[in-house]
Amino acid sequence: MRTQVGIIGAGPAGLLLSHLLHLRGIDSVVLERRSRDHVERRVRAGVLEQGTVETLVAAGVGDRLTREGLVHRGIELRYGGAGHRVAFERLVPGRAITVYGQQEVVKDLIAARLAAGGDVRFEVGDVAVNDAGTDRPHLTFGGERLDCDVIAGCDGFHGVSRASIPGDALTVYEREYPFAWLGVLARVEPSAEELIYAWTERGFALHSMRSPEISRFYLQVPAGEDIADWPDERIWAELRARLETVPGFTLATGEIVEKGVTPMRSFVAEPMRYGRLFLAGDAAHIVPPTGAKGLNLAVADVRVLTEALAHWYATGSADLLDAYSETCLKRVWRAQHFSWWMTTLLHTFETDDAYARRLQMSHLDYVTSSEAAAVTLAENYVGLPYERDLPDPAQTTPQAREVIE
């Protein structure tokens, strides 16, 4: 078999890359080791930046997103017995976030790829990257071979793509945090209209949502915590203790349909390219989820890679491909800093003494009282503008114009 771009991973990065390439007249094959049902049910991120929403809509996969997504124009920082709203509509006019689950984005992208005749293969085992350092890379899987011009590694932190790069060709930057997030999906109406980020002496808590009927919650717990030690009653009791800290707020409870513990880490592998292998999304970088940047960074990577590949195929120039890693890493490191900043601002650290705690309170007071500090939080949270806009539909292929229009 042969294709132009071989893509490993059918998460948001791999599927969106395949779709954007299709709109530019470039063929691809997507290989995914999990089943379609698994990737469509996998609960992950749920906060989409303004630019991510605009990208999906412009690519023709935003119909359900625009109907069902919950547009938020602010978040609340809750600490010291009071709530403080960060008002996006005032601080960054015209920009917002949209709450729409990652699994829903994946469903929309899979449907779009299959409707367009895209080649997306699920439950593919033994995928291996071969000859990535040459101009004839290929993938092998299940006794088959896929020759391609370029390989895109979109298979996440634990995937085979980054692991196939020689160790001396990468520089890794990593930080492990001494706590984790216990995440809960509950069949209950959200208790607030916007996300609540709560700092307490007991630890951090986040009130989020996925729909008008489904709420999402997170609790800071020690690293390595066993989910078996957290029966539903204990989870609700701890959520109430950390969220019901302002007058008049009552947490609604209901059936917990999913729960799990997620480690917190920061990770970047540089460069994001090795020969004809290009890493995108979690395969290249991980951020703690406090800043809601993981999925959005993957979309930003894919936009850059799509434009670089389209330029290469159209002109023969590899300038944009050669600049891919540097271009992406500028945004990656900005998001790394913002995610680290939000994490250290809102979580309790066992190693902190009284001085460190007072500094943390002073910082929270500054963010919620200073216009300049609030703007910094808001513009990073809703997402910084992209360096390049998507091509105008009139400049794309007839096939792309039909999808977009």
Side-chain angles (χ1 to χ4, degrees):
M1 294 182 296
R2 177 164 184 82
T3 190
Q4 290 174 290
V5 181
I7 300 173
I8 310 174
L15 291 167
L16 180 59
L17 176 61
S18 179
H19 189 64
L20 292 178
L21 291 174
H22 161 70
L23 296 180
R24 306 296 288 272
I26 300 169
D27 294 330
S28 66
V29 174
V30 181
L31 305 178
E32 167 59 48
R33 69 185 182 92
R34 301 282 195 171
S35 69
R36 177 179 178 180
D37 181 69
H38 178 89
V39 298
E40 290 187 339
R41 291 176 179 270
R42 188 166 47 190
V43 177
R44 292 289 187 271
V47 174
L48 307 185
E49 293 178 354
Q50 179 83 30
T52 297
V53 172
E54 292 170 356
T55 297
L56 294 170
V57 170
V61 290
D63 287 351
R64 199 160 64 92
L65 164 60
T66 54
R67 288 197 313 270
E68 301 177 13
L70 306 177
V71 178
H72 288 193
R73 294 179 171 84
I75 60 172
E76 179 184 327
L77 300 183
R78 182 173 292 187
Y79 69 99
H84 307 265
R85 185 170 184 266
V86 180
F88 301 154
E89 72 272 13
R90 179 175 59 83
L91 300 167
V92 283
R95 300 185 70 76
I97 59 168
T98 299
V99 175
Y100 188 70
Q102 174 175 311
Q103 73 275 18
E104 304 305 323
V105 174
V106 167
K107 291 175 187 175
D108 296 341
L109 287 167
I110 290 175
R113 293 306 302 122
L114 297 182
D119 193 343
V120 183
R121 305 187 183 199
F122 297 98
E123 299 183 81
V124 175
D126 301 322
V127 176
V129 177
N130 304 275
D131 298 332
T134 75
D135 61 359
R136 291 189 172 185
H138 66 277
L139 297 169
T140 53
F141 57 96
E144 299 189 64
R145 172 175 170 141
L146 176 65
D147 291 293
C148 41
D149 301 323
V150 166
I151 298 171
C154 306
D155 51 343
F157 183 77
H158 298 289
V160 301
S161 298
R162 191 182 69 254
S164 69
I165 300 175
D168 59 3
L170 288 177
T171 300
V172 170
Y173 303 88
E174 189 169 17
R175 172 164 295 180
E176 299 279 348
Y177 294 88
F179 42 74
W181 272 14
L182 190 160
V184 171
L185 198 67
R187 204 180 308 280
V188 59
E189 181 180 347
S191 301
E193 294 182 356
E194 296 177 336
L195 278 70
I196 301 171
Y197 286 78
W199 181 96
T200 75
E201 292 282 355
R202 304 173 70 95
F204 168 79
L206 172 61
H207 173 291
S208 184
M209 63 285 292
R210 288 296 179 267
S211 74
E213 299 82 27
I214 301 293
S215 295
R216 183 74 162 152
F217 302 98
Y218 294 98
L219 287 168
Q220 176 186 348
V221 297
E225 192 81 340
D226 187 349
I227 193 63
D229 294 332
W230 285 86
D232 294 359
E233 297 77 10
R234 183 186 178 190
I235 291 173
W236 287 123
E238 194 62 31
L239 283 169
R240 284 193 292 267
R242 299 189 196 187
L243 290 170
E244 292 182 345
T245 57
V246 299
F249 179 84
T250 302
L251 181 68
T253 62
E255 177 192 4
I256 292 178
V257 295
E258 182 174 309
K259 56 185 173 181
V261 175
T262 301
M264 300 278 279
R265 66 161 57 91
S266 299
F267 176 91
V268 181
E270 295 186 10
M272 292 170 57
R273 173 190 185 178
Y274 175 72
R276 292 286 183 92
L277 169 62
F278 295 82
L279 304 179
D282 287 0
H285 42 74
I286 296 285
V287 289
T290 324
K293 289 287 162 269
L295 169 59
N296 296 294
L297 276 180
V299 170
D301 292 346
V302 164
R303 286 174 56 105
V304 175
L305 186 53
T306 298
E307 189 64 26
L309 287 168
H311 181 70
W312 182 49
Y313 279 114
T315 68
S317 170
D319 290 352
L320 296 185
L321 285 176
D322 292 341
Y324 168 74
S325 181
E326 182 181 356
T327 301
C328 290
L329 285 170
K330 289 179 182 178
R331 192 179 192 92
V332 166
W333 278 109
R334 173 87 296 277
Q336 286 284 338
H337 179 266
F338 177 68
S339 300
W340 166 86
W341 179 77
M342 286 282 283
T343 301
T344 55
L345 179 69
L346 292 164
H347 289 74
T348 58
F349 290 75
E350 291 184 358
T351 55
D352 281 354
D353 55 17
Y355 177 82
R357 292 290 174 88
R358 288 294 291 120
L359 281 180
Q360 193 176 32
M361 290 302 97
S362 175
H363 198 173
L364 279 165
D365 287 340
Y366 178 61
V367 170
T368 55
S369 62
S370 163
E371 183 91 354
V375 168
T376 296
L377 190 159
E379 70 176 359
N380 280 275
Y381 197 91
V382 302
L384 299 175
Y386 295 123
E387 290 188 2
R388 293 173 177 268
D389 292 329
L390 287 175
D392 185 274
Q395 299 175 350
T396 60
T397 64
Q399 188 177 42
R401 288 197 295 273
E402 180 179 347
V403 173
I404 294 173
E405 293 167 0

